[in-house]
Structure formats: structure tokens, C-alpha cells
Amino acid sequence: TTSAWTFEGRLTSTGTGPFTWAIGSFYQDRKRDSNFSFYDDFAGDEPVLTKTLDPAALLYAVIDDGGSKAWALSAQAGYDITEKLAITVAARYDHDRRRSVDPRDIAATAARATFEQFQPKFSLSYKVTPDVLFYAGYSRGFRSGGFNEYSVFTPRIYGKEVSDSYELGFKTSFLDRTVTLNGALFRIDQKNAQITQFNPDSFGYTDSEIRSFDDNPAAVGSAMPYISKYNGSVSADFETPIGTGLDLTLRADYKISGPRSFALELPDVR
């Protein structure tokens, strides 16, 4: 079960001049109690309800009582240098204090950790025409660390993930904005990567590589797990009125994902 109390505040400029700004704040107090139990159901030939499970068939249970108190401050400023050229500068600071314990063995499993990160962001855009825009940007991302299941063989705490992203791209529309064509070239440098997914809405090619891994040097040179070499999708929408106040909307989607691995120990199994 998870319960959380969250507060978010945002203040933005309202003028019509070339300068715009926004400041924001965030606070969350979260509690999470989890219990994952694994039972031996060798036959597996009929449904089993939780209330009818045989306690003697319990093989393993992962129990964790955890929580976090997190806050963040952010600010953003934008300026239209000319009618076509614009710049945006932003920054965010996150502070996340977390705790975790298995109530069956408090002395061995109780853990606390604090994760914090400053995250700058810069972007520059140039509007060639009202329907054609080019942009470039840099941003730093942050994902808080956490706790592994207690084991004498595994560090109890894993660190934060930090990523630096660089992107060049364009956004266009044609035929009275009934057709759009967007593209981007990007690079992401991750440190202490946790879980990574790539799922764009058009077509993408990702060349990922593990450059260092202290706990498993054999994985160096392999691709990141869960990242497909390529992803693509095509969609089409059709809408037409069929009566007073009624519209018929049809949509077709096609998506494809390239091969990907699911385990660092078996990078070639996809």
C-alpha cells in the first residue's frame, strides 16, 4: 500500500513582452508498505485464492516498510532575442530523504539515505517560418536512489542516477498543418543507470553502450538492457461528421521494436 501527501506551487509571468519566467516548488511525504510472497504451487492446475494459501507452501517473502520526504525548487526564464530566435534557461534542485526497513529484522535492515541534485537546462530555438522550427538543447536529469532488498551479498543502498542529455532537432508541419514531421538527434550520458526505456512516437535508433560497471566488468561494451536498437511507429487519424453533434473518429497505429536484452548477465540473449 502507498499513501502520499503532495504539494505543488507554480508562479508564472503574465506579460506579453519578450521575457517570460516561472518559478515552482514541490513537496511530498510518501509512505509505502509492500509484501511480495512466493508460494510453491507445483501442480498449478487450479486457481488459488490468497485466503486459501497454505502457509507451509511459502517459499520466500519480501517485506519492506519504506517512505520518503522530498522537496524541490525550480525556476525558468525565456527571452525572445528576435521574432525568430529564442533562448530558455532553467534549473531545478531536488532533495529526497528516504528510509527502508524489513520489520522482521529491524537491526539488520534499517536504512536511511538522502539524495540531492542540481539540474540545469538550456535551449535555443529558431523559427524559420511559422511551420518550421529548429532547436538545440542541453539538460541534466536526476532519478533518486533507493534500497535493494537486504542481502549480505548486495549493497543495501544504490545511488542516484544522473543523466546529461544533448539534443538537436526540428519540428515542421505541412498542408495547412494536417501533416507533421519531427526529427531529433540526441546523446544521453548516464551515470549509475537504474532502468532505462526508449519508446518514441516516430522512428528512433539508439546506440547504447555500458562503459563502466564495477560489479560486473564482463558487461562493459554490451548494450543497456531494455533498450531496443531501433523503435518506430506510424499512425493515421480520420474524423468525419456523421450527424448532428456526432463525429466518427478512426485511428490506426503500427509500432515496431528492435531486439533488446533483459539481463546484464546474458547480454546476447534477446
Side-chain angles (χ1 to χ4, degrees):
T1 59
T2 301
S3 62
W5 184 88
T6 303
F7 167 83
E8 292 188 60
R10 184 174 175 86
L11 185 64
T12 62
S13 60
T14 58
T16 58
F19 179 73
T20 60
W21 57 267
I23 58 175
S25 61
F26 169 84
Y27 177 81
Q28 183 182 78
D29 187 348
R30 185 175 68 117
K31 296 180 180 179
R32 180 176 181 270
D33 300 330
S34 59
N35 186 334
F36 297 94
S37 299
F38 301 86
Y39 288 83
D40 182 8
D41 183 16
F42 183 76
D45 55 356
E46 60 182 29
V48 179
L49 302 177
T50 302
K51 62 182 180 181
T52 61
L53 288 170
D54 181 3
L58 178 65
L59 296 177
Y60 190 68
V62 178
I63 301 177
D64 180 79
D65 292 345
S68 65
K69 292 184 178 181
W71 60 269
L73 296 174
S74 62
Q76 177 174 306
Y79 185 74
D80 295 335
I81 301 173
T82 68
E83 292 184 354
K84 296 184 176 182
L85 183 63
I87 186 173
T88 301
V89 179
R92 178 184 172 104
Y93 176 79
D94 278 271
H95 184 279
D96 188 6
R97 187 174 69 225
R98 296 191 170 195
R99 59 177 178 82
S100 172
V101 65
D102 185 334
R104 297 170 298 181
D105 191 347
I106 297 176
T109 64
R112 293 178 180 269
T114 299
F115 308 96
E116 54 189 345
Q117 184 65 45
F118 175 74
Q119 303 147 80
K121 180 179 180 179
F122 309 94
S123 66
L124 188 68
S125 64
Y126 184 76
K127 187 177 293 186
V128 182
T129 69
D131 296 326
V132 179
L133 179 140
F134 291 91
Y135 67 90
Y138 161 80
S139 63
R140 170 163 288 183
F142 160 76
R143 179 176 295 175
S144 189
F147 307 97
N148 292 309
E149 177 193 349
Y150 174 75
S151 170
V152 295
F153 304 106
T154 306
R156 184 72 169 100
I157 300 172
Y158 60 86
K160 63 185 179 181
E161 175 185 318
V162 178
S163 61
D164 290 310
S165 301
Y166 310 84
E167 185 172 358
L168 293 171
F170 63 88
K171 298 181 179 180
T172 64
S173 61
F174 305 94
L175 302 178
D176 197 22
R177 299 187 178 183
T178 59
V179 178
T180 60
L181 176 63
N182 303 329
L185 177 66
F186 67 91
R187 174 187 174 94
I188 301 176
D189 294 331
Q190 291 177 297
K191 183 179 180 181
N192 294 331
Q194 298 170 14
I195 299 174
T196 305
Q197 298 186 56
F198 181 69
N199 187 21
D201 291 329
S202 53
F203 180 81
Y205 176 83
T206 305
D207 184 12
S208 66
E209 179 183 359
I210 299 174
R211 295 187 174 180
S212 65
F213 194 173
D214 294 340
D215 292 338
N216 186 5
V220 174
S222 301
M224 286 287 293
Y226 303 104
I227 295 184
S228 300
K229 201 73 172 177
Y230 56 85
N231 294 265
S233 68
V234 178
S235 64
D237 295 271
F238 175 77
E239 183 174 343
T240 183
I242 58 175
T244 304
L246 296 176
D247 293 326
L248 173 65
T249 301
L250 301 176
R251 179 179 175 88
D253 292 274
Y254 175 78
K255 294 184 179 182
I256 185 172
S257 295
R260 57 182 173 175
S261 64
F262 295 92
L264 287 168
E265 295 80 8
L266 301 170
D268 296 326
V269 177
R270 303 184 178 187

